[in-house]
Amino acid sequence: SLSVEVSHAYVYSLRVMLRSPQGTEVVLQNQSESTPRNYAWDSRNGALHAFANQDARGTWTLLVKDNESGDGGTLSSFTIRPV
């Protein structure tokens, strides 16, 4: 499972991706008007299914891109729990 907490005036302008130690990348959020400030994903909702059967050991990378200019935000927390 994965949880991400961000503080941003326009959360819907963010693109959030997760990269596994093996290099597999999945888009978790891509400029959605209904984006909450706290995200949560697990293997049941499909987004993390691409990581099934991969070794969880190693460096995981969370990529957050603001697709709009003129504002900023803060990544408050990022938690990964292998299941």
Side-chain angles (χ1 to χ4, degrees):
S1 67
L2 169 71
S3 64
V4 177
E5 184 177 345
V6 295
S7 173
H8 194 283
Y10 304 102
V11 177
Y12 60 81
S13 70
L14 300 178
R15 178 179 171 96
V16 180
M17 297 177 65
L18 182 64
R19 181 183 305 136
S20 74
Q22 291 76 27
T24 303
E25 289 185 355
V26 295
V27 175
L28 301 171
Q29 142 70 22
N30 191 20
Q31 293 182 279
S32 173
E33 290 291 332
S34 61
T35 302
R37 292 189 186 280
N38 299 309
Y39 305 94
W41 295 272
D42 62 32
S43 57
R44 293 172 296 180
N45 67 11
L48 302 180
H49 189 69
F51 302 124
N53 301 318
Q54 289 190 22
D55 190 346
R57 291 176 290 190
T59 301
W60 289 79
T61 306
L62 183 72
L63 303 126
V64 180
K65 179 182 179 190
D66 186 347
N67 291 304
E68 301 291 330
S69 62
D71 54 19
T74 302
L75 173 64
S76 303
S77 70
F78 162 49
T79 305
I80 253 184
R81 290 188 183 92
V83 290

